[in-house]
Amino acid sequence: ALFIADMTGHGPVAGVNAIRLQALVAACDGQPDAVLRRLDEILKQILPTGEYAAMLYGVVDVASRRFEYAAAGVPHPVAFPADGGDPVPGQGKGLPVGASNFPYELRRLDIPRGGSLVLFTDGLFTLMDGDAPGAHAFERLIRRLTDHGGGAAQGLAALIENRPKSCADDVTALCLTFAE
């Protein structure tokens, strides 16, 4: 199982809430959609009004290269083929956990043999485009990761290494690459 998350706000309070979220995730089990529903219930009780977590929680079946997940206010996860073919976006979005009673859905994304699974928060758009990501940021990001050559992991590393000195948003990105 794995997850990415982006807590409301910045600084020490958001950091402490992220640590709290990690502990809560570790205590939950079940299908990803059920985990997000449970976290939504808990966070509504413990976080102040207006604070929540955009996140994606999922389970990777390494043998079948299938990712089963539920999304709560984050961009689409993306499967990148090893051969440089067209990336396949999953379905992200939804409402963040702790914001409302949202019917989180179990979703599936197959990762091609030797391919990569990339998960990220919206801070990656800010890192790429500055404070105003604008329209079509998702498509531009995918192009940037694929046009680099060398696979999604290298494209992501190049984007992060060439970042501006500061970024106005927190950035979380995860790239899981499967051996052929």
Side-chain angles (χ1 to χ4, degrees), residues 85-139:
D86 290 337
V88 178
Q91 295 178 335
K93 305 297 181 193
L95 292 178
V97 290
S100 71
N101 294 323
F102 188 74
Y104 301 106
E105 299 172 10
L106 182 64
R107 298 170 176 165
R108 291 174 182 82
L109 184 60
D110 293 323
I111 299 100
R113 185 172 303 283
S116 297
L117 172 66
V118 175
L119 313 175
F120 56 94
T121 60
D122 63 352
L124 199 56
F125 299 137
T126 305
L127 183 74
M128 178 181 69
D129 286 344
D131 291 339
H136 310 291
F138 182 80
E139 292 81 7

Side-chain angles (χ1 to χ4, degrees), residues 129-151:
D129 286 344
D131 291 339
H136 310 291
F138 182 80
E139 292 81 7
R140 284 194 317 281
L141 175 65
I142 299 306
R143 270 196 312 278
R144 197 142 172 205
L145 296 182
T146 55
D147 289 349
H148 179 71

Side-chain angles (χ1 to χ4, degrees), residues 35-170:
V35 168
L36 289 191
R37 283 192 294 274
R38 179 69 183 130
L39 290 171
D40 185 59
E41 292 171 12
I42 294 169
L43 291 181
K44 283 187 295 190
Q45 294 174 15
I46 66 173
L47 292 178
T49 301
E51 291 189 18
Y52 48 82
M55 68 181 294
L56 186 145
Y57 174 87
V59 177
V60 176
D61 181 331
V62 176
S64 68
R65 296 178 320 281
R66 174 165 282 168
F67 181 53
E68 291 190 338
Y69 67 97
V74 295
H76 311 305
V78 185
F80 289 86
D83 64 6
D86 290 337
V88 178
Q91 295 178 335
K93 305 297 181 193
L95 292 178
V97 290
S100 71
N101 294 323
F102 188 74
Y104 301 106
E105 299 172 10
L106 182 64
R107 298 170 176 165
R108 291 174 182 82
L109 184 60
D110 293 323
I111 299 100
R113 185 172 303 283
S116 297
L117 172 66
V118 175
L119 313 175
F120 56 94
T121 60
D122 63 352
L124 199 56
F125 299 137
T126 305
L127 183 74
M128 178 181 69
D129 286 344
D131 291 339
H136 310 291
F138 182 80
E139 292 81 7
R140 284 194 317 281
L141 175 65
I142 299 306
R143 270 196 312 278
R144 197 142 172 205
L145 296 182
T146 55
D147 289 349
H148 179 71
Q154 287 184 1
L156 190 58
L159 176 63
I160 292 169
E161 289 169 4
N162 296 321
R163 72 187 182 282
K165 296 260 187 243
S166 65
C167 183
D169 199 0
D170 302 322

